[in-house]
Amino acid sequence: MTPVSARIFVVEDSGIVAQDIERRLQALGHQVCGRAASCAEAIEAVHATRPELVLMDIMLRGAGDGIEAATVIRDRLHIPVVFLTASSDAATLLRAREAGPYGYLTKPVDDGELQRTVEIALRLHALERERDLLREALSRAERAATLGALAQGLAHEVRNPAFAITASCDALEAQALVPPGRLDVVRRQVERLVRLMDALVEFATPGGTPTGCVALGRLLSEVRRLTETLARQRGVAVEYVAGPAVVLLQLDEIRGTQALAHVVQNAIQHSPAGSRVVVAAEVVGDGVALVVDDEGPGFADDGDPFVPFGSGRRGTLGLGLPTARRVLEDHGGQIEVGARPGGGARVRLHVRRAGLEEESG
Amino acid sequence: MTGAAPRRMLVVDDEEPILFALQSYFESVGFVVTAAADLELARRQLAEQPPFDVVIADLRLAGVHTTDGLAVVAAARKRSAASRILVLTAYGSAEMEKTARAQGADLLLYKPRPLPEIARLVEELLAR
């Protein structure tokens, strides 16, 4: 075991014993960050100094004993405590156990035992913290999975009535019960609802551990394919200034393509007809920077474009950039928005490269 | 329909508005349509009537988690190798598509889908 050095607080009502223990702790490489002799004093000083470990005598001066102090320190401050005991009766030891100590040291304290007990207490506490962090991460993942399942269930429930509506429109027209085209407005609104549900599912579904990779050239050509219809409809020219196509990106092909397509679609949607959107890629350090520039009105100062439905812009679902950010971050990348020099919006994505060793120029 | 027998279709969906829309649409484009709202009714129609030219079945009948539609597909395929069988689903997967095909489906379509498009796909299947 590698030696650990920790900040330790000593609670002991005998000054001689306290000094002796402090000296030995320092000899073992630890730092003694304070000393107290009573229960109340101990709680206050430990609260103020936030040590990594408390050595606590059970019998203390004044009201309250070390067990009381240890219970408060555990419950409120989550700092591990090791008890220092002389020979104690069974009832006291039983109470001491209730305080959840990380170890016991019997006075007079033996050097080797002090070292081992302190080290085990510190490691045990570190492990418990790690366990708590994992638990938290697990519960976050579970919440995300629940949200994804909820979105999928909802999307399914919406698709059936959506189909009932559009199929009824089709039947009414086929039977010549309404003039052709009269129901197009209904169809468009239903289509919008369905697109919204799909976007919600995409946003809310956890991606799992990303493993795949995609070549930059492939990514860009897929994004071009996905966005060219919209670009044509809007009369916007999308120009791809590709870097080296052979660079491999640490990005799942399907999710990565969707993420970049969201950004490009967003740029097209906010571009005036006849203007240009430029998608440029260049190798930067251990990754690739993808910059999407448009000549539209740019991002508003108020409102966060990465908050779902937070863009406040008409004509978009408000989930494109939040989804893109989620995908990028799942893959260890980044995305940021800003202004394009000369007017318009600029979105910059940073994606990690995969298989750097395969590249040499 | 000059002389040729009218083409016969079975539509199976537990949602009445969808069933009604499918029936009225395909009747208006020249099919003779039998509608069934659940698996049992569909099985009875398959048993009692001559084989259908086309069967369109919802994958999930009565409840989100059932795949009773697959039982309709299997029964229809058992009844006739010549029937064209389409499956409709609100949310499917590549796996589901494979399963549906294994049961004898010719095509799996995602809802919502314009009926004229479905009709075109039906015609393509019939022309094969």
Side-chain angles (χ1 to χ4, degrees):
Chain A
M1 292 209 288
T2 47
V4 278
S5 166
R7 292 173 64 247
I8 299 175
F9 193 98
V10 177
V11 185
E12 166 63 67
D13 62 352
S14 153
I16 297 171
V17 176
Q19 259 178 17
D20 172 53
I21 289 176
E22 284 171 14
R23 187 181 45 74
R24 289 201 266 166
L25 285 171
Q26 281 156 355
L28 290 170
H30 299 296
Q31 185 198 337
V32 177
C33 63
R35 183 207 296 183
S38 76
C39 173
E41 197 192 332
I43 293 170
E44 203 187 309
V46 167
H47 184 268
T49 52
R50 302 283 164 154
E52 289 160 72
L53 180 71
V54 178
L55 293 190
M56 177 79 73
D57 187 14
I58 290 183
M59 307 302 275
L60 295 175
R61 237 176 259 164
D65 62 5
I67 299 174
E68 242 181 278
T71 306
V72 173
I73 288 168
R74 177 197 65 185
D75 291 349
R76 290 200 206 144
L77 306 172
H78 313 292
I79 294 169
V81 173
V82 166
F83 281 127
L84 288 166
T85 61
S87 54
S88 295
D89 60 291
T92 308
L93 284 177
L94 205 65
R95 269 185 62 228
R97 208 161 64 190
E98 292 293 302
Y102 283 69
Y104 298 89
L105 285 164
T106 311
K107 290 190 273 190
V109 179
D110 165 81
D111 255 346
E113 207 186 328
L114 179 67
Q115 181 179 15
R116 278 193 302 278
T117 306
V118 164
E119 197 150 329
I120 288 169
L122 289 168
R123 284 178 190 276
L124 187 60
H125 187 249
L127 282 175
E128 284 186 357
R129 280 196 48 185
E130 228 165 273
R131 179 201 61 195
D132 291 345
L133 287 174
L134 278 174
R135 264 194 198 148
E136 228 171 85
L138 186 64
S139 114
R140 263 202 312 275
E142 277 170 0
R143 277 199 301 276
T146 306
L147 185 67
L150 180 74
Q152 276 173 18
L154 194 60
H156 176 264
E157 289 310 315
V158 165
R159 280 174 168 271
N160 270 316
F163 183 54
I165 296 170
T166 59
S168 300
C169 291
D170 295 336
L172 288 171
E173 282 186 355
Q175 294 168 291
L177 292 172
V178 292
R182 176 63 70 77
L183 294 171
D184 284 355
V185 60
V186 178
R187 288 199 185 88
R188 273 201 301 274
Q189 295 303 315
V190 171
E191 201 177 294
R192 215 172 121 187
L193 271 176
V194 171
R195 275 211 317 269
L196 179 61
M197 292 315 303
D198 288 347
L200 190 64
V201 169
E202 195 188 339
F203 174 72
T205 305
T209 312
T211 46
C213 58
V214 60
L216 177 60
R218 165 102 183 138
L219 177 76
L220 293 179
S221 69
E222 282 298 289
V223 168
R224 182 198 293 268
R225 193 176 61 76
L226 284 174
T227 55
E228 60 191 1
T229 306
L230 181 68
R232 207 171 38 243
Q233 283 167 354
R234 297 279 176 148
V236 174
V238 185
E239 196 177 297
Y240 291 82
V241 186
V246 289
V247 172
L248 269 186
L249 303 176
Q250 198 178 305
L251 201 59
D252 176 76
E253 178 169 335
I254 293 171
R255 295 186 74 210
T257 304
Q258 279 166 350
L260 183 59
H262 277 308
V263 176
V264 174
Q265 274 159 1
N266 197 63
I268 294 169
Q269 267 157 345
H270 296 100
S271 291
S275 71
R276 277 191 332 160
V277 166
V278 179
V279 183
E282 75 175 309
V283 175
V284 179
D286 63 345
V288 169
L290 291 156
V291 177
V292 180
D293 280 343
D294 67 55
E295 296 165 13
F299 289 97
D301 289 335
D302 55 342
D304 182 347
F306 293 117
V307 171
F309 309 110
S311 77
R313 300 203 269 193
R314 278 165 167 264
T316 60
L317 294 172
L319 280 168
L321 288 180
T323 303
R325 171 150 91 175
R326 187 166 181 147
V327 172
L328 265 282
E329 288 181 353
D330 279 356
H331 292 81
Q334 284 166 349
I335 179 169
E336 57 202 18
V337 300
R340 169 182 169 268
R346 166 169 288 184
V347 181
R348 191 182 164 87
L349 298 82
H350 190 268
V351 189
R352 285 193 193 161
R353 288 176 70 179
L356 268 176
E357 68 281 0
E358 293 165 26
E359 299 293 322
S360 53
Chain B
M1 303 296 127
T2 53
R7 296 171 303 174
R8 299 173 51 260
M9 176 185 280
L10 174 68
V11 292
V12 190
D13 201 305
D14 62 339
E15 295 210 24
E16 199 267 334
I18 294 178
L19 195 61
F20 180 70
L22 286 170
Q23 183 173 20
S24 13
Y25 181 86
F26 281 100
E27 279 175 352
S28 72
V29 295
F31 284 85
V32 171
V33 181
T34 300
D38 63 38
L39 177 58
E40 274 324 300
L41 290 171
R43 279 197 172 130
R44 198 180 308 159
Q45 296 297 342
L46 284 165
E48 290 173 1
Q49 294 204 38
F52 291 94
D53 298 300
V54 181
V55 175
I56 299 182
D58 184 23
L59 188 61
R60 286 170 175 170
L61 301 175
V64 171
H65 298 292
T66 74
T67 47
D68 268 0
L70 289 179
V72 175
V73 172
R77 183 51 75 217
K78 204 174 154 198
R79 182 79 176 86
S80 163
S83 292
R84 310 301 201 261
I85 303 173
L86 291 86
V87 179
L88 293 177
T89 178
Y91 252 92
S93 57
E95 225 166 287
M96 183 54 79
E97 191 158 353
K98 233 196 221 158
T99 315
R101 282 186 189 278
Q103 298 288 330
D106 292 300
L107 201 57
L108 184 126
L109 299 173
Y110 294 96
K111 292 191 262 189
R113 186 104 187 216
L115 297 191
E117 256 181 67
I118 297 181
R120 187 175 50 75
L121 293 166
V122 166
E123 294 299 343
E124 279 176 22
L125 284 174
L126 285 169
R128 269 189 207 167

